[in-house]
Amino acid sequence: MAKLPIAKNDFKGIRIACVGDSLTYGTTLLKRKRDCYPSRLQRILGEDYDVLNMGFAGHTVNPYCDKYWAKEDVVNLLEDYRPDYIIFMLGTNDSREHNWTDAKTFEKEYKRLINFFKSFSNKPCIIAMTCPQVFWDKKLLDINLDILSQIVDIQRKVLSENKIPCLDIYELTKNREDLYSPDLVHFNPKGAKFVAFNVYYKIIEDVRAKNKKYKDRLHSPKCQKKSLTA
């Protein structure tokens, strides 16, 4: 069973849940707690925001796998946290040959997770990311790149149909091996920073659009544009 993070359910600012697997958790990062993308996102956004890392290594969209993300304890944690934003990047482990069922099953279960997030009474904004590229040595993992490509196509389709804001990380990481750790699957600190800034801009764009909704929860409603080199 994955160790659950501690959620600040009484936080008065804007709450953000980063849903994912080891790419969100920060596997391979020497200073994981500091360098994983949710931690970097927290520092970029500042004190008006609370970012909860709900990345669990090896977890899947497919409920028929041993490490299914949406298990009862995880679901209860997310529901109690009542996030204003759910940042969703999950599916890479489904491309591993021992986890893969078929495209129809993945699409059904991916839609089911999206619908679960949409069912929250506080109506969080869902921002989804496609799976990123993988440049791995197959001796390490049984990831199938053809399956991964199928998964990304399904993600794009489902997110478009449901009008979910999407960050196409698969496209953004094309030819970007410099963003990866030596296993060529997980992000290095530069890659985690790259993801964090892309998510930051999506969130800030939405916060600005909903200025009246969040005004009383922000110390400074004017969001500053930050540099990718910051």
Side-chain angles (χ1 to χ4, degrees):
M1 181 182 293
K3 183 179 179 181
L4 299 181
I6 298 172
K8 298 178 182 178
N9 294 339
D10 59 349
F11 185 76
K12 302 303 181 186
I14 297 175
R15 294 180 297 276
I16 300 168
C18 295
V19 169
D21 50 32
S22 57
L23 294 163
T24 297
Y25 178 76
T27 296
T28 74
L29 294 170
L30 292 178
K31 297 180 179 178
R32 184 196 68 79
K33 289 184 178 180
R34 186 193 73 181
D35 288 341
C36 64
Y37 101 74
S39 293
R40 288 181 174 273
L41 181 62
Q42 176 71 76
R43 294 200 297 277
I44 300 166
L45 286 168
E47 64 180 2
D48 289 330
Y49 298 79
D50 181 65
V51 181
L52 181 65
N53 188 338
M54 296 194 69
F56 302 110
H59 282 58
T60 62
V61 171
N62 189 344
Y64 305 109
C65 299
D66 292 336
K67 292 185 176 181
Y68 173 45
W69 187 89
K71 290 184 177 178
E72 184 177 5
D73 54 348
V74 175
V75 166
N76 289 340
L77 175 67
L78 185 60
E79 288 180 325
D80 291 342
Y81 185 57
R82 290 176 58 81
D84 298 290
Y85 289 87
I86 295 176
I87 313 301
F88 180 41
M89 181 170 65
L90 197 62
T92 297
N93 287 305
D94 293 85
S95 72
R96 299 179 68 179
E97 291 176 353
H98 77 279
N99 284 333
W100 183 244
T101 303
D102 53 64
K104 185 177 179 180
T105 299
F106 181 85
E107 181 171 349
K108 175 186 174 184
E109 298 303 329
Y110 194 75
K111 285 180 180 177
R112 190 155 74 98
L113 272 177
I114 292 289
N115 288 331
F116 165 63
F117 299 148
K118 290 169 69 175
S119 73
F120 284 26
S121 60
N122 64 317
K123 302 300 179 187
C125 175
I126 304 163
I127 298 173
M129 290 184 271
T130 62
C131 298
Q133 296 277 345
V134 168
F135 302 97
W136 92 128
D137 177 346
K138 197 167 183 177
K139 293 176 183 176
L140 298 176
L141 291 170
D142 61 339
I143 291 174
N144 184 308
L145 296 186
D146 290 332
I147 293 174
L148 182 64
S149 179
Q150 286 184 65
I151 285 173
V152 171
D153 286 342
I154 292 167
Q155 291 171 333
R156 289 167 175 159
K157 173 177 175 284
V158 170
L159 297 173
S160 176
E161 289 174 350
N162 286 270
K163 297 181 171 55
I164 302 294
C166 176
L167 275 168
D168 195 337
I169 298 295
Y170 188 81
E171 184 65 27
L172 290 171
T173 53
K174 187 179 289 184
N175 302 319
R176 292 300 307 270
E177 292 186 33
D178 61 305
L179 300 177
Y180 287 77
S181 68
D183 71 0
L184 299 177
V185 174
H186 297 93
F187 295 119
N188 61 21
K190 181 179 177 181
K193 183 177 182 179
F194 177 81
V195 173
F197 268 102
N198 275 283
V199 172
Y200 164 81
Y201 289 124
K202 276 287 188 183
I203 291 172
I204 292 305
E205 179 184 7
D206 191 77
V207 169
R208 284 174 174 158
K210 297 175 180 173
N211 185 268
K212 290 182 180 179
K213 177 179 178 181
Y214 293 126
K215 191 172 183 179
D216 63 338
R217 295 162 66 184
L218 296 169
H219 291 103
S220 176
K222 290 185 179 179
C223 305
Q224 301 296 319
K225 187 173 181 65
K226 296 179 183 287
S227 166
L228 278 169
T229 59

